[in-house]
Coordinates of all heavy atoms in Angstrom, one line a residue:
Chain A
S417 N -18.7 -194.6 -3.4 CA -18.8 -195.5 -4.6 C -17.4 -195.9 -5.0 O -16.4 -195.2 -4.7 CB -19.4 -194.7 -5.8 OG -20.2 -195.6 -6.5
Y418 N -17.3 -197.1 -5.6 CA -16.1 -197.8 -5.9 C -16.1 -198.1 -7.4 O -17.0 -198.5 -7.9 CB -15.7 -198.9 -5.0 CG -15.6 -198.7 -3.6 CD1 -16.8 -198.8 -2.8 CD2 -14.5 -198.2 -3.1 CE1 -16.6 -198.5 -1.4 CE2 -14.3 -198.0 -1.7 CZ -15.5 -198.1 -0.9 OH -15.4 -197.8 0.5
R419 N -14.8 -198.0 -7.8 CA -14.7 -198.5 -9.3 C -14.5 -200.0 -9.3 O -14.8 -200.7 -10.3 CB -13.5 -197.8 -9.9 CG -13.4 -197.7 -11.3 CD -12.0 -197.2 -11.8 NE -11.0 -198.2 -11.8 CZ -10.5 -198.6 -12.9 NH1 -10.8 -198.2 -14.0 NH2 -9.6 -199.6 -12.8
L420 N -14.0 -200.6 -8.2 CA -13.7 -202.0 -8.1 C -15.0 -202.8 -8.3 O -16.0 -202.4 -7.7 CB -13.2 -202.2 -6.7 CG -12.8 -203.7 -6.3 CD1 -11.5 -204.1 -7.1 CD2 -12.6 -203.7 -4.9
R421 N -14.9 -203.8 -9.0 CA -16.1 -204.7 -9.2 C -15.8 -206.1 -8.5 O -14.7 -206.3 -8.3 CB -16.5 -205.0 -10.6 CG -16.5 -203.8 -11.5 CD -17.7 -203.0 -11.3 NE -17.4 -201.6 -11.6 CZ -17.5 -201.1 -12.9 NH1 -17.9 -201.8 -13.8 NH2 -17.2 -199.8 -13.1
D422 N -16.8 -206.8 -8.3 CA -16.6 -208.1 -7.6 C -15.8 -209.0 -8.6 O -15.8 -208.8 -9.8 CB -17.9 -208.8 -7.3 CG -18.4 -208.3 -5.9 OD1 -17.6 -207.6 -5.2 OD2 -19.6 -208.5 -5.5
W423 N -15.1 -209.9 -8.0 CA -14.1 -210.8 -8.7 C -14.9 -211.9 -9.4 O -15.4 -212.8 -8.7 CB -13.0 -211.2 -7.8 CG -12.0 -212.1 -8.3 CD1 -11.7 -212.5 -9.5 CD2 -11.1 -212.8 -7.5 NE1 -10.7 -213.3 -9.6 CE2 -10.3 -213.6 -8.3 CE3 -10.8 -212.9 -6.1 CZ2 -9.2 -214.4 -7.9 CZ3 -9.8 -213.7 -5.6 CH2 -9.0 -214.5 -6.6
L424 N -14.9 -212.0 -10.7 CA -15.5 -213.1 -11.4 C -14.5 -214.3 -11.4 O -13.5 -214.2 -12.0 CB -15.8 -212.7 -12.8 CG -16.9 -213.5 -13.6 CD1 -17.3 -212.7 -14.9 CD2 -16.4 -214.9 -13.9
V425 N -14.9 -215.4 -10.8 CA -13.9 -216.5 -10.6 C -14.3 -217.7 -11.3 O -13.4 -218.7 -11.4 CB -13.8 -216.9 -9.1 CG1 -13.2 -215.7 -8.3 CG2 -15.1 -217.3 -8.4
S426 N -15.5 -217.9 -11.9 CA -15.7 -219.1 -12.6 C -15.1 -219.0 -14.1 O -15.1 -217.9 -14.8 CB -17.2 -219.4 -12.7 OG -17.9 -218.2 -13.0
R427 N -14.6 -220.1 -14.6 CA -14.0 -220.2 -15.9 C -14.6 -221.5 -16.6 O -14.7 -222.5 -16.0 CB -12.5 -220.3 -15.9 CG -11.8 -219.2 -15.2 CD -11.8 -217.9 -16.2 NE -11.2 -216.8 -15.6 CZ -11.8 -215.9 -14.7 NH1 -13.1 -216.1 -14.4 NH2 -11.1 -214.9 -14.2
Q428 N -14.9 -221.2 -17.9 CA -15.6 -222.4 -18.7 C -14.4 -223.2 -19.2 O -14.4 -223.5 -20.4 CB -16.4 -221.8 -19.7 CG -17.6 -221.1 -19.2 CD -17.3 -219.8 -18.5 OE1 -16.6 -218.9 -19.0 NE2 -17.8 -219.7 -17.2
R429 N -13.4 -223.6 -18.4 CA -12.3 -224.3 -18.9 C -12.1 -225.7 -18.1 O -12.7 -225.7 -17.0 CB -11.0 -223.5 -18.7 CG -11.0 -222.2 -19.4 CD -11.2 -222.3 -20.9 NE -10.6 -223.4 -21.5 CZ -10.8 -223.8 -22.8 NH1 -11.7 -223.1 -23.5 NH2 -10.2 -224.9 -23.2
Y430 N -11.4 -226.6 -18.7 CA -11.1 -227.9 -18.0 C -10.1 -227.8 -17.0 O -10.2 -228.3 -15.8 CB -10.8 -228.9 -19.0 CG -10.2 -230.1 -18.5 CD1 -10.9 -231.0 -17.8 CD2 -8.8 -230.4 -18.8 CE1 -10.3 -232.2 -17.2 CE2 -8.2 -231.5 -18.2 CZ -8.9 -232.4 -17.4 OH -8.4 -233.5 -16.9
W431 N -8.9 -227.2 -17.4 CA -7.7 -227.4 -16.5 C -7.7 -226.3 -15.4 O -7.0 -225.4 -15.5 CB -6.4 -227.3 -17.4 CG -5.2 -227.7 -16.7 CD1 -4.0 -226.9 -16.6 CD2 -4.9 -229.0 -16.1 NE1 -3.1 -227.6 -16.0 CE2 -3.5 -228.8 -15.7 CE3 -5.6 -230.1 -15.9 CZ2 -2.9 -229.9 -14.9 CZ3 -4.9 -231.1 -15.2 CH2 -3.7 -231.1 -14.7
G432 N -8.5 -226.6 -14.4 CA -8.6 -225.8 -13.3 C -9.2 -226.5 -12.1 O -9.6 -227.7 -12.3
A433 N -9.2 -225.9 -10.9 CA -9.9 -226.5 -9.7 C -11.4 -226.5 -9.9 O -12.0 -225.3 -10.1 CB -9.5 -225.8 -8.5
P434 N -12.1 -227.6 -9.9 CA -13.5 -227.6 -10.1 C -14.1 -226.9 -8.9 O -13.8 -226.9 -7.8 CB -13.9 -229.1 -10.0 CG -12.7 -229.8 -10.4 CD -11.6 -229.0 -9.9
I435 N -15.2 -226.1 -9.3 CA -15.9 -225.3 -8.2 C -16.8 -226.3 -7.5 O -17.6 -227.0 -8.1 CB -16.7 -224.2 -8.9 CG1 -15.8 -223.1 -9.5 CG2 -17.7 -223.6 -7.9 CD1 -16.5 -222.0 -10.2

Side-chain angles (χ1 to χ4, degrees):
Chain A
S417 212
Y418 299 92
R419 206 184 81 110
L420 180 73
R421 312 289 153 83
D422 277 347
W423 176 12
L424 197 170
V425 294
S426 43
R427 295 289 178 275
Q428 292 69 53
R429 302 303 322 170
Y430 162 72
W431 192 236
I435 291 175

